Amino acid sequence: MSTSLERYTDRFEQYSDRYPHVIDVVLVLSLMGCAALGSNLTLPGAEPPDQDRAATALMGVSCLALLKYRSHPRTAVVVTAVCTVIAISLGYLLTPLLLGPVMAALYWLATLTDRKTTRVFGVAAMAALMVASAVSDSMDSMSLVLRTIGPFFWLLLPLAAGNMTRLRRAYLASVQARAEHAERTREEEARLRVTEERMRIARELHDVVAHHMALANAQAGTAAHLVLTSPQQTKKILTDLTGTTSSALRELKATLGLLRHNDDPASASLEPSPGLARLPELVSACASAGLAVTVSTTGEVRPLSPGVDLTAFRIVQESLTNVSKHAAVDSAQVRLAYSGSRLLITVSNDGPATNGTNGANGTTDAAKAVPGRGFGVMGMRERARTIGGELCAGPRPEGGFEVTTALPLQSSAPTDPSASEAAVGATDAPARGEES
C-alpha cells in the first residue's frame, strides 16, 4: 500500500514539476469550493450568519493568496490565517472545510522552508485560530476544550505531512548525490586503472625491446669488427644474434598477447613470465655481446612470488642493458643476497671514476648532455615500489655505476604512506646521476 502511494506521489510530483501553474489553479479552485461549502455549515438548530458576500470575498482572497505559495509561502500563511480568523469572528462555524486554505498554506510552508520558519509561523497561525475559535459565538454550545483541540489537531496534520515531504525530498536528493559521487568515483578509478595498465605495459615493452635491441646492436658491432680477423667467432656471434632477436620477438609476442587475452578457456595459453631462473640465459646473451657477467648468491635461496620474481629479473636485465649501452667496460657483477624476508640485488660495474660531477647533486655531465635519459632507472624504481621494495641507483665513489634494490620475498604494498614517502625521498637522493 505504501509503495503504491509513493508511486502515485512521485507521479504527481513529476507532473507538478512539469505543469506547475495547472496544478496550482486546480488546487486553488478545489480549496475555494471546500471553503464555500464550509461557510454554509452550522451546528444543528443554529442559523448561518447573514454574511454570504463577506465570506465569499474572504475565502476568495484566502485562496488567491495560495497562488503565490511557491515564492512567498510565509505571506500565504499569514493571509489565509487572517482571512479565516475574520470569517470565524463573523460567526461562521470552524470546520475542516473552512480551514482548507490555511491547512494547504501550512503544508507548503513546512515543505518549502526550514524548521525554524515552520515552527514560528505554524505556532502563530495555530494560536490565532484557536483563540478565534475559543471566543467565537458560533460554538457556544460546545465546551472550550472541544473548541480549541479540534483546530489544533487539524492544523497539526499539514505541518507533520509537510515535514515528512521535506525530509523525503532531502533523503532522495542525498541518495542521488551519493549515486552521482559513486559514478564519478568509478569513472576516476577506471581512468586510474587504465593509466596504471598503460604504464605497466610501457615498462614491459621498454625492458623487452631496450634489452634485446641493445644486445643485438652490440653483437652486430662485434661481428662487424671480427668478420675479417676471426670468421669462426663471427659466425658464433651471428648465431647468438639470431637467438637474441628470436627471444625479443617471443617476449614481445607474449607481452602483446596479454592485451588480446580474453580469459577464454579455449584460447591459447600464454608463456609464463620470466624470472631469476632465466638469469643463465641473460648472462649468456650478455657474454655474446662482449659483456662478461658474474652472478653470486649469498644466503639461503627461497622461492619468490611471481610478481617479485618478474620484478627482480627485469631490474637485473635493465641494469645489464644500461651497462652494455653506456658503460665503457667489458664486465659486470650481479649479487643476490637473501636476508630474512628481503632479497637484496646489486648490479655494478668497475668503470672509471666520474670526473664530470656537477657539485653535490652527483649529476654527471654525460648524463646531462644526453636528452631522454633516466627512463630505465625510473621504470626500475616504479617496479620496485609497486611490490613494496626500494631501489637506489647512482655512480660509485671508486668508479663505475651501481644499482641496488631491496625487494620483499612476497609481493606487498607499503602500509605506511609516510614511510613510503620517506623511502622514495631516500632513494631519489643518491640516484640523480642515474643512467637509462
Side-chain angles (χ1 to χ4, degrees), residues 349-387:
N349 63 83
D350 299 325
T354 302
N355 296 323
T357 302
N358 183 12
N361 61 2
T363 303
T364 62
D365 294 337
K368 291 171 60 179
V370 180
R373 285 199 172 187
F375 290 106
V377 175
M378 184 187 305
M380 290 190 292
R381 184 173 290 115
E382 290 174 353
R383 280 184 179 276
R385 291 174 183 171
T386 300
I387 61 173

Side-chain angles (χ1 to χ4, degrees), residues 36 87 106 114 127 158 196 215 231 250 267 311 329 339 362-363 378 396 416 418:
L106 290 176
D114 56 282
E196 292 177 348
L215 289 181
R250 185 168 57 253
S267 61
T311 300
V329 296
S339 175
T363 303
M378 184 187 305
R396 302 193 305 174
D416 186 0
S418 61

Side-chain angles (χ1 to χ4, degrees), residues 19 24 27 127 129-130 134 191 208 238 277 323 369 383 386 421 432:
Y19 306 103
D24 293 348
L27 290 176
L129 289 170
M130 290 171 63
R191 286 195 296 267
V208 171
L238 292 177
V323 173
R383 280 184 179 276
T386 300
E421 291 297 328
R432 293 191 173 95

Side-chain angles (χ1 to χ4, degrees), residues 9-364:
T9 302
D10 293 338
R11 291 180 180 177
F12 179 78
E13 289 182 355
Q14 293 175 1
Y15 188 82
S16 177
D17 293 337
R18 189 178 302 175
Y19 306 103
H21 298 295
V22 176
I23 297 297
D24 293 348
V25 171
V26 172
L27 290 176
V28 167
L29 292 177
S30 301
L31 291 172
M32 190 174 293
C34 293
L37 179 61
S39 63
N40 293 324
L41 298 177
T42 59
L43 291 175
E47 293 293 332
D50 189 16
Q51 302 286 345
D52 291 341
R53 292 183 179 179
T56 303
L58 286 172
M59 294 300 100
V61 172
S62 177
C63 293
L64 289 177
L66 294 176
L67 292 175
K68 294 294 184 180
Y69 78 89
R70 296 181 186 272
S71 57
H72 302 85
R74 302 171 184 82
T75 303
V77 171
V78 172
V79 173
T80 54
V82 170
C83 291
T84 306
V85 168
I86 296 175
I88 295 172
S89 64
L90 293 176
Y92 288 95
L93 182 65
L94 183 60
T95 62
L97 293 177
L98 194 66
L99 289 174
V102 184
M103 294 172 65
L106 290 176
Y107 171 79
W108 286 319
L109 177 73
T111 303
L112 301 175
T113 60
D114 56 282
R115 289 185 178 181
K116 182 179 180 180
T117 302
T118 301
R119 190 180 302 114
V120 171
F121 282 83
V123 170
M126 292 172 65
L129 289 170
M130 290 171 63
V131 170
S133 176
V135 301
S136 175
D137 297 335
S138 60
M139 293 185 290
D140 289 338
S141 59
M142 301 176 61
S143 65
L144 181 63
V145 175
L146 293 178
R147 280 187 286 175
T148 55
I149 198 172
F152 173 79
F153 281 108
W154 281 113
L155 297 177
L156 190 62
L157 288 177
L159 290 175
N163 279 325
M164 291 179 61
T165 302
R166 177 172 52 81
L167 293 175
R168 179 174 175 271
R169 290 179 179 177
Y171 170 74
L172 294 177
S174 65
V175 169
Q176 183 178 1
R178 287 198 298 269
E180 294 175 354
H181 176 71
E183 184 66 23
R184 289 194 302 269
T185 303
R186 282 194 296 268
E187 293 177 357
E188 293 174 358
E189 184 178 357
R191 286 195 296 267
L192 179 61
R193 289 183 177 180
V194 169
T195 302
E196 292 177 348
E197 186 65 14
R198 288 172 56 190
M199 293 297 297
R200 187 189 67 81
I201 295 173
R203 287 196 300 266
E204 286 292 328
L205 292 177
H206 175 274
D207 292 344
V208 171
V209 175
H211 168 70
H212 289 93
M213 292 303 100
L215 289 181
N217 180 67
Q219 289 169 341
T222 305
H225 180 70
L226 300 175
V227 65
L228 297 179
T229 59
S230 181
Q232 292 298 327
Q233 188 175 359
T234 302
K235 181 179 179 181
K236 182 180 181 303
I237 293 176
L238 292 177
T239 303
D240 294 338
L241 177 59
T242 303
T244 300
T245 54
S246 299
S247 178
L249 292 174
R250 185 168 57 253
E251 290 199 29
L252 187 60
K253 181 180 179 181
T255 303
L256 296 179
L258 292 174
L259 303 178
R260 301 189 181 98
H261 191 56
N262 55 3
D263 295 332
D264 186 2
S267 61
S269 59
L270 299 177
E271 181 178 329
S273 300
L276 292 180
R278 293 181 55 180
L279 272 183
E281 300 179 20
L282 182 61
V283 171
S284 177
C286 292
S288 65
L291 179 64
V293 180
T294 303
V295 180
S296 60
T297 303
T298 59
E300 181 183 356
V301 178
R302 287 187 291 277
L304 307 176
S305 64
V308 176
D309 201 15
L310 173 62
T311 300
F313 177 80
R314 291 302 188 197
I315 289 176
V316 174
Q317 183 186 57
E318 178 63 21
S319 301
L320 294 179
T321 301
N322 290 340
V323 173
S324 177
K325 289 169 59 178
H326 304 296
V329 296
D330 55 3
S331 63
Q333 296 80 38
V334 178
R335 293 186 295 275
L336 306 177
Y338 292 86
S339 175
S341 61
R342 312 277 290 180
L343 170 62
L344 182 64
I345 302 174
T346 304
V347 181
S348 60
N349 63 83
D350 299 325
T354 302
N355 296 323
T357 302
N358 183 12
N361 61 2
T363 303
T364 62

